[in-house]
Amino acid sequence: MQLSLYFGFARDAAQSQMPRVIVRTLHLALFLMLAGLAAASVEAGAQSSVSGMVRDSAGVPQIGAQVQLIKSDLTVAANVYTNSKGHFVFASVLPGSYAVKAIASTFLPSLRENVRVRSATVVNLTLNTLYEVMQWLPAQPRSASTQKDDWAWTLRSAANRPLLRCLEDGPLVVVSEGPNSQPRLKARLVASGQQGTFGEDGQRITMEIEDTPSTSRELLARVDFDPTTNAGMESMLGFRQDLGFAGSVESVAAVAMHPEIEDAGGNGAGSGLEEVAVRTTERMQFGDAAEAEVGTQQVMARFAQNSPNTILSEMPFATVGWRTGNNEIHYRMATAVPAPGMDASGTAGVLPALEMANGKLVVERGTHQEIGWERRTDASGVQILVYADSIGNPMLEASARPAGGMDFAGQALMDPASGLIRTAGEGFSTAGVVASVEHRLPGGNSVRLSYANGDALVISGARGAMSLSALAGAARPRRTQMYSLSLSGTIEGTGTRWRASYRWQPEETLTRVSPYALDAAEPFMNLHLRQPLCRVRGERAHSIDAIVDARNLLAQGYRSFVLNDGSLLIFAQEQRSMSAGLGFTF
């Protein structure tokens, strides 16, 4: 750079001293400015570093923890692992703003946002387990100047951030989002009577804690027990943490104890089924265009007494999606087969189906892969996907009508209350297509049409009486199709929420086509109603709802077979079941 300054004065020597002073001052200012620009350019081109330690809450260095350096545009700039001392280094980093994320097995991810990198920057991260993050503490102000909390107890995070609060004389509620906003009510109690469902006949009482509206952390909880049986219970506890632009992490643990379920024909030996499942999920976002979800589901199951074996199974899953406008393309891999009557907020979505086969307790599982395209607008949606499945221990469910002593001990699980049994069929592989169209109707109603093809198990060659193992072994896959129509909405004036569906596939098929399909209708005619009986608005909303849920209303798809001891088995894709009760939200 060349800079020329010209000054001209037509005055005497005495008066020319002032311009010389001004010129020297300008030269000095120009020199300092050029020196600053040179230093800034050198700093901009310099490479900085980011280093630090990764420890657990006890201060123990974590070896082999994955550490990511994330740019402001959500892309990963670098990826390293901690050494034997828990130390990590990003050697060459351009100055700027970053996020540093640490990931290790059995720990919740740790994220440090808005890390300003100008030279050698040190970032130390602490990894916590799920149980360390949450703890019940008395609600005390954090400083003398802080206004005293009016809540009796509060569930706080390790950073002393409130998650849930409990009034001394009130129910469990969530933290309000702002100083002037009201907390949303959390608790829901449902008392119902059910009939025709495996492991759920009789009276049921369910206490459920819904998701909190917190933008950072949520708690999920559910307890479901049957007072008509000997301490039959299902429960679920989950925790979800939002990691900002990096995604979220979720851990859900579910426990089921069904003392009434036993090894059919075992004369009480091995009675009392226990099942535990832990599902961990991490959802990662890459801008507005891409999202990935990976996780695993670990399952342990056994009989409470005289257990012939114990199931220990790990079932991973993953989904990757790309969005452009209203279109989305995704890939999904899953291993756990969704249990019948799966509810995304309940234990049925976490606990897979169990059966007996060849004297051993087994779990229904397989390998599912799909590639799909979806287009959604405010008024409609279209989805098409192709899939390939390899299913092991496919579940066969039947209503048993014994004639004297049953001779299929070690071949089926039995629920004496409902008279239903579950056994495992021969594994098979299949591939097919699933397509659906959804459209919103006036008044907030919607209609959905679906089609699928693939293989389902059929028992076609059974003649005369035979044993249960031979009958289950005779089930063979057959190529078939499925059609379904679903309608849902709310009736104006009464506030009745309803959902009706009809799913058809050949009645001789004993299993579903495309069992891994999400949002699939239950087989044959189904109806769900929820009618508000009492609504109280205000600071604390209360409601009482009547609930009716009926599945396979027309009792379709039943296939009967006679065993060699004279017992009658009636198989079906979905057993006819009825459930009704009252739901209290407070």
Side-chain angles (χ1 to χ4, degrees):
M1 176 184 291
Q2 183 177 358
L3 179 64
S4 300
L5 297 176
Y6 298 92
F7 297 93
F9 300 93
R11 298 184 181 182
D12 56 26
Q15 293 175 333
S16 64
Q17 295 299 323
M18 183 63 68
R20 289 193 184 96
V21 174
I22 295 175
V23 170
R24 286 196 297 269
T25 303
L26 289 173
H27 280 172
L28 180 59
L30 178 64
F31 173 78
L32 293 176
M33 181 180 69
L34 293 177
L37 292 174
S41 63
V42 170
E43 182 180 354
Q47 296 286 338
S48 302
S49 65
V50 177
S51 62
M53 296 281 292
V54 177
R55 303 181 178 91
D56 63 8
S57 59
V60 178
Q62 297 301 302
I63 303 172
Q66 182 183 10
V67 184
Q68 296 177 339
L69 187 67
I70 304 173
K71 298 180 181 178
S72 58
D73 61 357
L74 308 183
T75 60
V76 178
N79 189 16
V80 298
Y81 293 87
T82 56
N83 59 17
S84 59
K85 297 181 179 180
H87 187 261
F88 68 91
V89 177
F90 297 103
S92 299
V93 181
L94 292 175
S97 179
Y98 297 87
V100 181
K101 180 181 179 182
I103 306 171
S105 60
T106 72
F107 290 98
L108 295 174
S110 179
L111 180 71
R112 182 75 59 81
E113 298 181 278
N114 300 322
V115 177
R116 300 287 182 178
V117 177
R118 290 188 175 90
S119 57
T121 304
V122 177
V123 178
N124 295 319
L125 299 172
T126 300
L127 296 172
N128 292 281
T129 64
L130 171 65
Y131 304 100
E132 292 169 338
V133 169
M134 299 189 303
Q135 52 183 327
W136 284 100
L137 296 172
Q140 298 293 335
R142 279 167 283 183
S143 64
S145 60
T146 304
Q147 184 178 3
K148 185 176 180 180
D149 205 336
D150 59 349
W151 304 84
W153 284 81
T154 178
L155 178 63
R156 296 183 180 272
S157 67
N160 202 26
R161 184 170 184 172
L163 303 179
L164 300 177
R165 293 173 172 178
C166 186
L167 287 170
E168 289 183 353
D169 57 349
L172 192 66
V173 299
V174 299
V175 179
S176 58
E177 288 299 318
N180 298 322
S181 62
Q182 298 296 336
R184 194 183 70 180
L185 297 175
K186 289 291 300 177
R188 174 177 295 171
L189 180 67
V190 178
S192 62
Q194 305 185 41
Q195 185 175 8
T197 304
F198 186 86
E200 294 195 5
D201 267 38
Q203 300 175 13
R204 307 289 298 184
I205 297 179
T206 303
M207 179 68 180
E208 184 176 359
I209 307 300
E210 296 179 344
D211 293 354
T212 77
S214 171
T215 57
S216 59
R217 295 177 174 89
E218 298 177 0
L219 181 69
L220 319 170
R222 176 177 174 178
V223 178
D224 186 1
F225 64 94
D226 184 352
T228 63
T229 60
N230 184 19
M233 184 185 72
E234 294 181 357
S235 62
M236 181 191 74
L237 177 64
F239 179 77
R240 182 184 298 126
Q241 180 178 3
D242 188 5
L243 301 179
F245 63 80
S248 62
V249 63
E250 175 181 308
S251 296
V252 177
V255 178
M257 294 180 293
H258 292 285
E260 74 279 8
I261 296 178
E262 59 187 24
D263 178 2
N267 297 322
S271 63
L273 185 63
E274 298 178 350
E275 184 177 5
V276 178
V278 178
R279 183 181 63 193
T280 58
T281 306
E282 182 176 3
R283 184 176 290 106
M284 296 164 285
Q285 299 174 350
F286 307 95
D288 295 332
E291 184 180 62
E293 182 180 8
V294 296
T296 183
Q297 183 170 325
Q298 298 176 336
V299 178
M300 184 191 78
R302 67 175 187 178
F303 286 112
Q305 299 175 357
N306 304 323
S307 179
N309 69 321
T310 299
I311 294 177
L312 293 173
S313 182
E314 184 171 357
M315 295 176 281
F317 55 89
T319 302
V320 180
W322 298 267
R323 289 184 298 272
T324 56
N326 294 328
N327 299 294
E328 178 179 347
I329 299 175
H330 74 269
Y331 165 80
R332 174 173 166 248
M333 186 278 293
T335 49
V337 180
M342 174 179 173
D343 182 359
S345 64
T347 54
V350 182
L351 298 169
L354 299 173
E355 315 112 53
M356 292 289 293
N358 300 320
K360 293 185 178 181
L361 192 63
V362 296
V363 60
E364 185 180 26
R365 61 170 300 168
T367 301
H368 168 81
Q369 298 187 77
E370 71 178 46
I371 298 177
W373 167 80
E374 183 177 5
R375 178 178 176 83
R376 285 195 174 273
T377 63
D378 293 337
S380 62
V382 180
Q383 184 184 56
I384 300 176
L385 61 89
V386 294
Y387 70 92
D389 290 348
S390 177
I391 302 176
N393 304 318
M395 185 188 68
L396 300 177
E397 188 174 272
S399 175
R401 299 178 181 177
M406 295 180 293
D407 66 347
F408 43 89
Q411 299 300 319
L413 290 179
M414 183 169 187
D415 175 16
S418 63
L420 298 178
I421 68 167
R422 285 182 176 178
T423 187
E426 296 291 335
F428 65 97
S429 298
T430 181
V433 177
V434 178
S436 63
V437 179
E438 186 175 359
H439 185 71
R440 291 191 178 182
L441 303 174
N445 302 318
S446 64
V447 58
R448 180 186 179 93
L449 296 171
S450 300
Y451 164 82
N453 61 33
D455 288 314
L457 289 182
V458 175
I459 302 178
S460 57
R463 294 184 178 179
M466 61 178 61
S467 65
L468 176 61
S469 58
L471 191 63
R476 292 291 182 266
R478 175 187 295 178
R479 191 74 178 177
T480 187
Q481 302 179 61
M482 178 279 296
Y483 305 89
S484 71
L485 170 65
S486 301
L487 299 168
S488 62
T490 303
I491 300 176
E492 295 184 3
T494 63
T496 305
R497 287 175 287 175
W498 61 278
R499 183 177 67 252
S501 64
Y502 187 86
R503 170 179 170 139
W504 178 91
Q505 68 184 61
E507 295 194 1
E508 64 268 20
T509 56
L510 306 182
T511 59
R512 309 180 190 187
V513 174
S514 184
Y516 283 93
L518 300 176
D519 301 325
E522 299 294 331
F524 304 109
M525 184 66 187
N526 307 278
L527 179 64
H528 178 82
L529 298 173
R530 191 178 188 99
Q531 174 62 52
L533 301 178
C534 177
R535 297 280 184 183
V536 179
R537 302 292 182 182
E539 180 178 348
R540 288 194 242 172
H542 306 269
S543 67
I544 302 177
D545 299 337
I547 304 170
V548 177
D549 187 34
R551 299 181 183 179
N552 196 3
L553 270 174
L554 305 180
Q556 293 179 276
Y558 287 98
R559 300 281 292 169
S560 59
F561 299 91
V562 178
L563 300 183
N564 48 18
D565 67 344
S567 300
L568 180 65
L569 293 185
I570 305 176
F571 289 90
Q573 302 170 35
E574 179 76 20
Q575 300 291 333
R576 184 178 183 180
S577 63
M578 301 289 293
S579 175
L582 294 176
F584 304 87
T585 302
F586 53 91

